[in-house]
Each structure stands twice: as C-alpha cells, then as structure tokens.
Amino acid sequence: MSQQPSAAPAPSPTSAVATVAKRRDWWRDAVIYQVYPRSFADSNGDGMGDLEGVRSRLPYLRDLGVDAVWLSPFYASPQADAGYDVADYRAVDPMFGNLLDADALIREARELGLRIIVDLVPNHSSDQHEWFKRAVAEGSGSPLRDRYHFRPGKGENGELPPNDWESIFGGPAWTRVADGDWYLHLFAPEQPDFNWEHPAVGDEFRSILRFWLDMGVDGFRIDVAHGLVKAEGLPDLGSHEQLKLLGNDVMPFFDQDGVHEIYRQWRLILDEYSGERIFVAEAWTPTVERTANYVRPDELHQAFNFQYLGTAWDAEELRQVIDRTLESMRPVGAPATWVLSNHDVTRHATRFANPPGLGTQIRTAGDRALGLRRARAATLLMLALPGSAYVYQGEELGLPDVVDLPDEVRQDPAYFRGAGQDGFRDGCRVPIPWTREGSSYGFGDGGSWLPQPAGWGELSVEAQTGVPGSTLELYRRALAVRRSRSDLGAGDSVEWLKAPEGVLAFRRGEFVCVANTTGESVTTPAYGRVLLASGEVTETNDGEAKLPADTTVWFTTA
C-alpha cells in the first residue's frame, strides 16, 4: 500500500513546548530556527522587517515545533553589510525598533516556551562605531588605533598595503585613511577588524555579553568566531586564489589557536547565569576536527557544521561527513549540528537542483521540482541525525533562491566588488510570503525591501497550512515526531544498515531512516511502520518498501 508524507499521529506542539522549556541540556538536540529580521515580518509597513514583526509571528514558530529562535543582527548599524557592521552593540537600530521591542520579544518568547539566541559580531565593528570614528579623527599615533589593526603602508611613501591580504568580499583587505595609515578589514571597508590583543576589546565584549544576558537572552551565535585572532606579525599569504566567503582554507587570519582563550573567558561569564544559556560558533575551519576545538567542555556549546552544509546530495559523501562529524564531536562531548541553509548560502531547494556547488541557479520548472524533492528528502535525513539542527526561515515553505533580482535592487556588498563573491546572498534573503495575496504576500503593508517574485504567494504559509503533503506540513510533522521520540535528537552515533548503492540507511533505537539519493526508485526492507516520508512510499506484501527517487522515509520498529 502507499504511504503519504503525513502517515503518523503527532503530539500537540503547544503541549510539547512547555516540557522542552524545562528540560536540561536542551541545546543538545534543539531545533533552532534562524530569523533574518529584515525579511521575516514588517509591522509598520516601511518595507523592512522588524522586531515587532518577529514578535507577532512567534506563535507560528511555536506551532512549527522549534525549540529556539536565532535572530540575525538588529543592532544600531549603517547597514553596509545588513547589520553585520555594528555601530552600537547595546542599541537596536531604529529600522528594527528599540530596546523595549527587544525586551517584549524576549519575554513573549519565554512565555511561549521558545528561547532567544542573538547574533554577536566580535570580529569587526562598523566604521561608524565611536571607537573607530575617534581613532580616525585623532590621527596617526592615537591610542584608540591600537583597538583596531592600523599599520603604516609599504613602498617609498607608504602607498602600498601593509601586506597582501584580500577581503573576503574581494579586493584588498586594507583601506588607507587621510593621514596615510592603513586599517584592516577582512570584509567590507566599512567593517574594520578589532585587535583582540588589546585588553579594552576583551573588556568591552565581556560587558556586552552581560548586557544581553541581563536582558534575558538564552545565548549568542558568534559571527566569524574563527577570525578574532590574527597570526603574529600579520604575515603575507603569498600566492593563492581569491578568498571565498564560505571556505575552509588555512589562513593566517582564521582559526588561530589564540581564539580559544577568549572563549574560555566568555564561558565563565555565561556559566554565572541560570537557565542553560549557550554559545554557538560560526567557525569556518579546514576540518571538522578543528571545529571540535571550539566546543571543548570549557569553551562553546555548539559550532555550525559547514562541512555538512557544503556536501552534495550524494550518499557516499554524506555518510563520510556524518561519520567524521560524529567521531570529531564525541571526544569533546559536544553535540553535532546539522544545517542545510542560512542567510549566507544559496537555499538548498535551489542548490540541490543541479549540484554540486553553493551557487547553482534554477533555470527551469523541472529544476525547481527536482531541487524541492531533494530538499525535502535532505531535511528528513538531517532531522534524523543525532544532535541539534538549524532551520533557516522559509525553508519550511520550500522557498528557492530568487535568482533574477535586478542589479539596481541588490544590496549584498560582495556583489559590488568585482574580484570577490557573485553577490548570491540577496537571493536567499528575499522576504518570506505569509499569505497568497497582498502587496508583499503578508510580509507587510508597504512592499518589501527586496522584490518578491510573481507566484510567491503560492508558497506562502497560508497556501500550505493544512494541505497534506505540503512542505510546511512535512516540517511540522517531522518536528513533532522528532520531539515525541526518545530515540531521536540527542546522541552521538548511528548504526549503519546495509543498503543499495546511493541509499543511506541507519538505525537509532527503534527508529530507522532510509534516504534514497539516486534519481531512480529503489527497493529496501520495510523496517516497520512508516512514521513519515518526503514522498510516496509503497510497501509490498513481502516486507519490502519501494522508495521513489530522492526520497527519505522514517520507520519505527516498535
């Protein structure tokens, strides 16, 4: 008989949330939902999402079944890089609201059983940060310049940069100020890097941590966690290819051992507070083994698994990265994390349409259907793995990247620096659709800061709610089943089962996950009752199950 994706009863998300909120070590198997505030919900009709908009949609996130919400930056900022250029770490940018709005959001989330994690940007500030403005104004030799990386230039008249480092966004990583000194910025020129060798920088960020912990946040996602410390002497790179935003190369400004002492100091602060607050590292490292260094017991709690995110929809590659991840995390006692999309990469519904590569684009309706089918299957595989999972806003709707944005509306700074990235990040940041109709499909009353494509409303929350087999209902049921089962979530191992080529099969207690990554249907053992499937699964009378191409199914042997 055929099994549809909504095959098993699931507990009420509302009742389950209350239980999760009291659970210890909640972060070991948490599902954390990333909100990109400017693209989530607009409460005042100015075309830009805001904190009040996020607060109004918290019940949706509770009912979706997530455990925590990670908010991308909403601090005071000139927005040269969508808020990752912070001018004041203790203020909310007026486009998003104010501190009272932040307080109301944190309080209401707690009442709904949701935890709030905020972004922290310690590698660099805005060039409009008070420290940097004064450092430039006071001229060469100002003590404030020691809080950043100011250096004299090379060449006869100092006309050349201090070294050959390049910005991740393309072009030199150095900009010269009027008095002749140069300052380091691994990202945009408006984002000068802090000098973490200066004690004032550490003092300031310990104070910032306490400010937001006192506000009641449950943790911090640390932006560029691998970049705070630079190699002594800032040595030249020598011959190399253009640096990429999402890369794992060994560099003298990334993944230096000195970062770990910073995080040991931070952990002492976090442990003073009740409620199991956590740190999550955005740490691009050459290997998962290096990533494990960030989550040793006296440092951070989680680190994003970018090796998994960058893996193609291929059974052998996936198995290798799953095994390496679990093996690397086991010695340090940290949970693995799994992620398929975020605000910096092409959405996986697009990426999987024509893998490999993080920048592939959907060209036909057939591409879109293929990408969505693989994305649904990849989601069930990810949610079956031991550890914590991250969901990027809109992926539960099956949203693709918007690939045909006009040049004049693009805002990704990487797009405007010809030697760097291709500016693909705008495509995954288009505001999400809530309703079938309206000027911005329910995002707000005043349009949206990036244009939404025609037909966006057919992917909306309204269009998918209650529709059997929709991607939204698949996510809702998967998260409910995951929460209801003790053999899902936390853990550090899987038992691999024999499977046809191109198929992954593993057992966790009474639970079995089978993922067909091939373009053909396959027959496998029916490991019990079907809990959930990303496509239609047919069970035969002789104890076998037929999985269509690019389909994942969950079984229970109980």
Side-chain angles (χ1 to χ4, degrees), residues 95-320:
M95 73 164 57
F96 297 123
N98 54 45
L99 282 174
L100 290 178
D101 295 320
D103 179 71
L105 191 161
I106 294 166
R107 289 175 182 274
E108 183 156 336
R110 182 178 297 115
E111 292 171 1
L112 293 172
L114 294 168
R115 301 174 186 270
I116 294 293
I117 296 169
V118 297
D119 232 311
L120 188 67
V121 189
N123 179 70
H124 49 262
S125 74
S126 166
D127 63 352
Q128 297 305 301
H129 190 286
E130 190 62 30
W131 283 5
F132 191 80
K133 290 195 298 182
R134 286 176 55 197
V136 172
E138 291 178 8
S140 186
S142 166
L144 281 171
R145 292 199 175 186
D146 293 337
R147 300 180 184 187
Y148 295 89
H149 292 278
F150 279 88
R151 296 287 189 278
K154 293 181 178 179
E156 185 176 348
N157 299 302
E159 71 277 11
L160 300 176
N163 67 21
D164 66 355
W165 293 4
E166 292 182 349
S167 164
I168 303 301
F169 290 158
W174 296 90
T175 290
R176 200 176 192 187
V177 297
D179 57 45
D181 277 356
W182 297 75
Y183 69 88
L184 176 68
H185 53 86
L186 291 180
F187 294 88
E190 298 88 351
Q191 295 169 290
D193 279 48
F194 283 116
N195 175 17
W196 274 86
E197 301 297 325
H198 196 290
V201 177
D203 289 344
E204 172 69 354
F205 274 90
R206 286 189 290 272
S207 174
I208 292 167
L209 288 175
R210 293 187 185 281
F211 178 86
W212 289 102
L213 288 166
D214 290 342
M215 283 276 289
V217 303
D218 294 285
F220 301 88
R221 177 263 190 186
I222 305 168
D223 184 62
V224 195
H226 56 304
L228 276 55
V229 173
K230 279 64 174 176
E232 185 176 359
L234 309 185
D236 282 344
L237 276 171
S239 177
H240 62 88
E241 296 181 357
Q242 164 62 39
L243 305 179
K244 294 296 183 182
L245 177 66
L246 307 179
N248 298 317
D249 296 331
V250 177
M251 295 292 171
F253 42 75
F254 283 160
D255 195 31
Q256 300 295 303
D257 289 339
V259 298
H260 298 291
E261 180 55 34
I262 296 169
Y263 298 137
R264 292 186 188 100
Q265 295 176 21
W266 287 14
R267 182 62 179 265
L268 293 174
I269 293 173
L270 205 69
D271 288 347
E272 295 174 9
Y273 288 79
S274 62
E276 291 196 287
R277 323 289 180 98
I278 69 166
F279 286 123
V280 182
E282 182 205 31
W284 287 89
T285 66
T287 65
V288 288
E289 289 79 10
R290 291 289 297 182
T291 300
N293 290 337
Y294 291 79
V295 289
R296 288 176 287 202
D298 60 345
E299 294 188 44
L300 310 178
H301 297 78
Q302 292 184 352
F304 287 124
N305 189 345
F306 292 116
Q307 284 80 12
Y308 186 77
L309 184 151
T311 303
W313 181 238
D314 176 88
E316 183 58 32
E317 292 184 34
L318 287 163
R319 178 165 176 169
Q320 288 179 11

Side-chain angles (χ1 to χ4, degrees), residues 72-95:
S72 291
F74 51 80
Y75 309 112
S77 166
Q79 303 295 317
D81 185 20
Y84 283 93
D85 51 316
V86 180
D88 186 344
Y89 291 84
R90 298 177 182 83
V92 173
D93 194 282
M95 73 164 57

